[in-house]
Amino acid sequence: IVVPGECYAEIFSPIVKELKRVAERNGWRVLTESIKSDKPTVRAREARRIAYLYAKERVAGVFFQPMEFVKDYTSASREVLSHFDKYEIPVLLLDYDIVPSPERSTYDLVGIDNIAAGLSIGRFLIRKGAKKVCFLQRPGAAPTVTDRLRGVALAALEAGLPWSKKHNVLRCEPENRRAVSRFVSAERPDAIVSGNDVAAAKLKETLTTIKKGGNIHLAGFDDVAVAAQIGLTTCRQPLGDLAHVAFQTLLQRIKSPRLPPRTILLPAPLVAR
């Protein structure tokens, strides 16, 4: 199991824990090492090192969460995967692909339907009265965030609301007070959807600090602890189901390596707040 996000995203720890539990219960020995750095480039380097060690051990199969928040996340992920490809070791990608959506790599993928999740959040916010829904996209974020953005945009367009990258997408870190203040003042959104709950919580702190956005409805994704604490509308990741489906999918790939690449997307139910 090679999951760099376990050190910075709450959803991955329970997925890894359940993957280990279900694999060991079925007679498999599981190898995993912690990647703890808060620097994406260091995490990428550590992932390459771990991949090299696992490949040398000729592991039967690998669960891998691709890299994000690095300049070229596709190349960074391919460097990790090259060690497994060299020995034809099956790999299952967790959460998102190594290439931008809607492109697909040659690896199996298990995650949630991010476009559908974004659509459900967008529709909910519009039903609540939002006339202008915007999206916070952190630079370098995973392809899942782009799909979530697309879902929100689809909800706006089907409701007859205008949507453009210039006027509806805030592309910055949520702590960037200047960028957030400038965007909110110029665009006056009724709601802002962030790529995940943690980013939404940081955006809320920023809006509070700059004394703006008191009437802006905030939303995120994943339904981690902070979402309930601050009352975020979100979509829940089915963490246990993701682990079980991922395990079964990798098992099938090990037994039948010539199967075509498969994409399995689970629903992420809306948690309306």
Side-chain angles (χ1 to χ4, degrees):
I1 302 175
V2 185
V3 180
E6 193 177 2
C7 71
Y8 65 86
E10 287 183 47
I11 66 166
F12 289 113
S13 289
I15 290 176
V16 168
K17 183 177 180 180
E18 185 64 13
L19 275 174
K20 291 172 66 177
R21 191 188 70 82
V22 69
E24 290 169 351
R25 189 181 65 193
N26 282 273
W28 291 86
R29 184 167 67 94
V30 180
L31 301 178
T32 183
E33 287 192 34
S34 296
I35 299 174
K36 299 179 179 180
S37 177
D38 59 354
K39 297 180 179 179
T41 53
V42 176
R43 290 198 295 266
R45 185 166 65 245
E46 281 296 288
R48 290 195 299 270
R49 180 187 64 81
I50 294 169
Y52 172 78
L53 294 175
Y54 288 173
K56 294 292 283 186
E57 288 210 26
R58 303 293 200 278
V59 295
V62 177
F63 300 100
F64 174 55
Q65 176 227 342
M67 309 307 304
E68 62 177 336
F69 302 123
V70 290
K71 187 174 182 180
D72 187 345
Y73 64 84
T74 296
S75 295
S77 294
R78 288 196 188 281
E79 288 181 18
V80 175
L81 292 166
S82 66
H83 296 294
F84 304 122
D85 292 343
K86 179 179 179 181
Y87 298 106
E88 297 186 340
I89 296 171
V91 175
L92 181 137
L93 303 179
L94 291 169
D95 198 35
Y96 51 90
D97 208 338
I98 64 170
V99 293
S101 174
E103 296 177 41
R104 272 293 277 120
S105 67
T106 57
Y107 305 94
D108 291 332
L109 167 66
V110 171
I112 65 168
D113 189 335
N114 290 286
I115 293 179
L119 180 62
S120 66
I121 285 181
R123 284 173 171 171
F124 171 76
L125 295 171
I126 292 167
R127 287 197 303 269
K128 294 286 286 185
K131 299 300 182 184
K132 185 166 188 178
V133 180
C134 294
F135 196 97
L136 169 68
Q137 183 178 32
R138 294 179 62 194
T144 49
V145 174
T146 301
D147 280 345
R148 292 167 182 181
L149 185 159
R150 287 172 176 151
V152 174
L154 181 59
L157 293 172
E158 72 176 14
L161 301 177
W163 182 277
S164 72
K165 183 181 292 186
K166 179 179 179 180
H167 297 294
N168 294 83
V169 180
L170 169 58
R171 196 167 189 273
C172 69
E173 295 295 339
E175 302 94 337
N176 188 329
R177 297 180 186 179
R178 184 176 181 183
V180 171
S181 179
R182 186 167 55 240
F183 183 87
V184 170
S185 297
E187 304 302 338
R188 300 186 181 280
D190 300 309
I192 301 178
V193 184
S194 296
N196 58 47
D197 295 334
V198 173
K202 291 178 179 178
L203 176 62
K204 182 179 177 67
E205 292 179 6
T206 299
L207 290 170
T208 300
T209 300
I210 63 177
K211 296 180 171 57
K212 293 184 179 181
N215 296 320
I216 298 176
H217 193 147
L218 299 180
F221 296 84
D222 297 341
D223 195 29
V224 298
V226 71
Q229 292 168 7
I230 65 174
L232 286 177
T233 290
T234 186
C235 279
R236 178 173 297 133
Q237 291 262 7
L239 303 178
D241 290 342
L242 285 168
H244 282 257
V245 171
F247 173 73
Q248 292 298 332
T249 304
L250 182 57
L251 207 57
Q252 291 173 353
R253 173 63 58 189
I254 292 170
K255 294 177 180 178
S256 304
R258 302 307 172 195
L259 286 172
R262 294 162 297 171
T263 303
I264 303 175
L265 302 179
L266 278 59
L270 178 71
V271 181
R273 296 187 176 101

